Amino acid sequence: AQTVTQSQPEMSVQEAETVTLSCTYDTSESDYYLFWYKQPPSRQMILVIRQEAYKQQNATENRFSVNFQKAAKSFSLKISDSQLGDAAMYFCAYRSQGGSEKLVFGKGTKLTVNP
Amino acid sequence: GAGVSQSPRYKVAKRGQDVALRCDPISGHVSLFWYQQALGQGPEFLTYFQNEAQLDKSGLPSDRFFAERPEGSVSTLKIQRTQQEDSAVYLCASSLAGDGYEQYFGPGTRLTVT
């Protein structure tokens, strides 16, 4: 079974600075998808960024980018120019390619943005 | 368009009562998922449907948990004889079917068992 580990329960960053959230995962599969989801205090989870394992190029979405290291099974999220609205719980998630479409989540990292 | 909606948003049940949680997916989304999120934890998969077929129910913690999606749209998660450990937020998500499609989440139902 796949597992996802987020080793940082809490992180903080100053507004306009850069922060990196860590995620590692364990799998024996070669094809899969990785996601970062954001869950603000209102609790509605929204997708931040996704990465297909077969793609070597790291995904980017505006101020959000990932560092995907397939051999190391590492998938970190970098948030540049942090904004107050970035404050939330961030969850790393894994999905197999083919088979069950379920997401396997880590325990999350609570990000605080200080003005 | 409208997102995923869930009702009720909050539910308080006495231990031993049965509860039913409803999920309305995004129109046209074939896949529907249920997750359980305990306080301070990440969501954990319960079950999912493709149309009306329940393809994976490996995450249901006991036979007290039952989910259905009889017409391939609205889904209901039923918990019988609730226990305190069932207290959690129950999240529903929907997506287009197939590899890698984004799951869109609802606001969740917070269940408190007293």
Side-chain angles (χ1 to χ4, degrees), chain A residues 33 35 37 39 42-47 50 89 91 95-108, chain B residues 4 31 33 35 37 40-43 45 48 50 56 58 89 91 95 98-103 105-107 110:
Chain A
Y33 302 88
F35 305 85
Y37 276 87
Q39 190 176 44
S42 67
R43 303 203 72 89
Q44 195 132 8
M45 193 97 67
I46 56 174
L47 179 67
R50 53 176 277 172
M89 286 291 293
F91 293 98
R95 213 214 92 168
S96 299
Q97 183 175 347
S100 177
E101 297 178 29
K102 69 182 182 185
L103 292 173
V104 177
F105 286 90
K107 291 190 174 184
Chain B
V4 178
S31 298
F33 306 82
Y35 296 87
Q37 187 174 22
Q41 301 294 314
F45 171 78
Y48 98 98
Q50 210 168 81
D56 186 349
S58 62
V89 174
L91 298 172
S95 77
D99 279 341
Y101 282 110
E102 175 184 354
Q103 291 185 21
F105 284 80
R110 180 181 295 277

Side-chain angles (χ1 to χ4, degrees), chain A residues 64-114:
Chain A
F64 299 88
S65 62
V66 298
N67 183 3
F68 173 49
Q69 301 290 329
K70 190 172 184 180
K73 296 180 183 175
S74 171
F75 183 61
S76 61
L77 175 69
K78 185 170 83 171
I79 306 174
S80 303
D81 185 26
S82 297
Q83 300 176 0
L84 296 177
D86 295 333
M89 286 291 293
Y90 285 82
F91 293 98
C92 179
Y94 173 103
R95 213 214 92 168
S96 299
Q97 183 175 347
S100 177
E101 297 178 29
K102 69 182 182 185
L103 292 173
V104 177
F105 286 90
K107 291 190 174 184
T109 296
K110 181 179 180 180
L111 178 65
T112 301
V113 181
N114 300 309

Side-chain angles (χ1 to χ4, degrees), chain B residues 49-111:
Chain B
F49 296 83
Q50 210 168 81
N51 296 305
E52 67 276 5
Q54 190 172 19
L55 297 188
D56 186 349
K57 54 181 181 179
S58 62
L60 295 176
S62 77
D63 59 7
R64 296 186 297 104
F65 286 72
F66 173 76
E68 60 183 6
R69 193 185 185 198
E71 297 179 357
S73 179
V74 171
S75 177
T76 303
L77 176 67
K78 297 179 180 178
I79 309 173
Q80 297 178 322
R81 304 181 303 280
T82 53
Q83 300 178 5
Q84 281 194 317
E85 60 261 32
D86 300 335
S87 295
V89 174
Y90 290 84
L91 298 172
C92 177
S94 70
S95 77
L96 296 169
D99 279 341
Y101 282 110
E102 175 184 354
Q103 291 185 21
Y104 293 82
F105 284 80
T109 294
R110 180 181 295 277
L111 173 65

